[in-house]
Amino acid sequence: MAVDYATLKKGGFMRQKQKNNFSLRLRVVGGNLTAKQLAKIAQVSEKYGDGHVHLTSRQSVEIPFIKLDDIDEVKAALAEGDVSPGVCGPRVRTITACQGEAICPSGCIDTYKLAKELDERYFARELPHKFKFGITGCQNNCLKAEENDLGIKGALKVKWKKDSCIQCGVCLKACRTQALSLEDGRIDLEEGKCNFCGRCVKACPADAWDVTSGYIVSFGGIFGNNISKGEAIIPFIDDHDKLMSVCDAAISFFNENALAGERFKFTIDRVGKDKFEQRILEAYNNG
C-alpha cells in the first residue's frame, strides 16, 4: 500500500532521513504547554520515539523517530494529554508569542490571549505557501516580529497629564528615543520620535500619563534563503477589531494573489506594494 507522504506532512509528520521514521511536529500556541501536556509528550517520546524531543526555532516541539506503523497510536496517545499534531507545508503555521504583559514587566499587550485568538482564526488554513504569525509584547522585540509574514508588536500611545506630573524627570531618563523634553514645568512629547514603547509610563511614579494600548503590525518579513524585514503600513492600531480586519485582509490578499510556492513578501513585490497598502488601509478604515 502506497504511503501518502503529503497528507502525513500536512498533519505534522515529517519524513526523516531514516526510512519509515518521522519527526512529529506538535501544535503549540504562543510557546505555552501545560505540565499535563509536557508529561504526555515525554511519555510518547519514550514509548514511540527514541526518548528525546526537539524544540524548534518557532516554539514548537518535535518528537523524532516515530515509526510509520505507530502513527495512529501516537495521535491517540497524545490526545489523552490534550496534545495535537501541528502542520507543515503551505498553510498557516504555529502562532508564536513572547510572555507579554501577563508576566513580563515590559509587556504592553496580552500576547498569549492574542496568539490563541489568531490560532483559532487561522491555524492550518490552506494557502499558496506557508504563512507565519509572530507576536511580541513590546519594543524589546524578543519574538522578532519583523521576521514573520505578519508580525504584531505590542505598543502604548501616551499623553501627558499635567495635573498629575511631579516633574521628577524619570520619564525622560527612561525614554530611549529622546522623544520627551522638560521645560518650564511642561513635558513635551515629540510624536515623530516616539516608538510607543511605554517605558515612560512604566517608569512614572505619579501616574502622569494617559495610555492607549495598541499594536504595530508589519508585513512581509522573511528570514530564510532570502532575508527581508517586514514593514509597517499603519504606525499604530488602537482597536482590536481593526487589527483583526487587517490580518484578514493580509491573509486574503496572499491567498488571492500568490503563486504556488511564493512567500508573502514576494507576492507583495510582484503584485505591487501600492495595491497591498491600499487593501490594508481599506480594511483598517472599514474595520
Side-chain angles (χ1 to χ4, degrees):
M1 181 177 176
V3 179
D4 188 347
Y5 290 109
T7 298
L8 287 173
K9 184 176 180 180
K10 179 179 178 180
F13 289 88
M14 300 174 292
R15 295 172 69 180
Q16 293 182 202
K17 63 186 296 184
Q18 295 84 4
K19 187 176 181 180
N20 292 330
N21 281 265
F22 295 82
S23 187
L24 169 58
R25 181 174 296 168
L26 303 178
R27 182 178 185 177
V28 179
V29 182
N32 285 5
L33 288 166
T34 66
K36 177 182 178 180
Q37 289 174 315
L38 286 170
K40 179 56 68 173
I41 292 167
Q43 184 184 71
V44 168
S45 174
E46 287 283 358
K47 183 174 181 179
Y48 296 100
D50 72 343
H52 91 279
V53 301
H54 173 69
L55 303 181
T56 76
S57 61
R58 288 190 56 79
Q59 298 184 326
S60 188
V61 176
E62 291 176 3
I63 307 175
F65 293 99
I66 300 296
K67 305 301 184 286
L68 179 62
D69 292 341
D70 292 335
I71 284 176
D72 289 338
E73 289 185 31
V74 166
K75 289 193 289 187
L78 288 170
E80 294 172 357
D82 301 327
V83 181
S84 58
V87 296
C88 303
R91 48 197 59 89
V92 176
R93 301 293 188 82
T94 296
I95 313 294
T96 61
C98 70
Q99 296 197 86
E101 68 174 1
I103 293 177
C104 179
S106 298
C108 298
I109 58 171
D110 190 335
T111 53
Y112 184 57
K113 180 181 179 181
L114 182 56
K116 289 192 295 182
E117 182 177 5
L118 293 175
D119 178 80
E120 293 171 1
R121 195 178 186 99
Y122 301 119
F123 179 73
R125 180 176 295 190
E126 299 289 327
L127 292 169
H129 201 12
K130 59 186 173 183
F131 195 97
K132 298 177 180 179
F133 283 89
I135 308 168
T136 200
C138 68
Q139 286 288 348
N140 289 336
N141 206 11
C142 296
L143 240 292
K144 302 176 180 61
E146 291 86 357
E147 288 186 1
N148 293 270
D149 296 287
L150 195 155
I152 300 172
K153 189 180 297 181
L156 297 178
K157 182 179 285 187
V158 301
K159 184 178 180 181
W160 180 58
K161 296 192 295 186
K162 178 180 178 181
D163 293 341
S164 300
C165 183
I166 60 175
Q167 300 177 33
C168 63
V170 171
C171 58
L172 277 72
K173 295 177 181 178
C175 181
R176 291 175 172 172
T177 61
Q178 290 76 53
L180 301 177
S181 60
L182 173 60
E183 187 173 349
D184 297 328
R186 177 180 179 82
I187 298 287
D188 286 320
L189 169 64
E190 189 174 341
E191 294 186 359
K193 289 185 177 180
C194 180
N195 67 352
F196 309 111
C197 70
R199 285 174 57 85
C200 54
V201 175
K202 297 176 186 296
C204 180
D207 190 28
W209 297 92
D210 283 324
V211 180
T212 301
S213 181
Y215 318 90
I216 300 170
V217 182
S218 57
F219 306 93
I222 181 171
F223 273 65
N225 292 312
N226 296 281
I227 296 177
S228 183
K229 180 181 175 182
E231 298 179 359
I233 294 173
I234 301 161
F236 183 90
I237 298 176
D238 64 0
D239 181 89
H240 174 268
D241 290 342
K242 287 183 179 293
L243 172 66
M244 291 297 106
S245 294
V246 163
C247 291
D248 285 345
I251 288 279
S252 295
F253 183 91
F254 182 53
N255 190 45
E256 293 164 10
N257 293 284
L259 304 175
E262 180 179 61
R263 289 296 296 274
F264 189 34
K265 180 260 191 306
F266 302 118
T267 301
I268 294 171
D269 289 346
R270 178 175 53 79
V271 176
K273 290 184 179 180
D274 55 340
K275 293 182 180 179
F276 177 66
E277 289 180 2
Q278 181 181 355
R279 182 76 166 268
I280 294 301
L281 290 171
E282 287 175 354
Y284 175 76
N285 291 324
N286 296 325

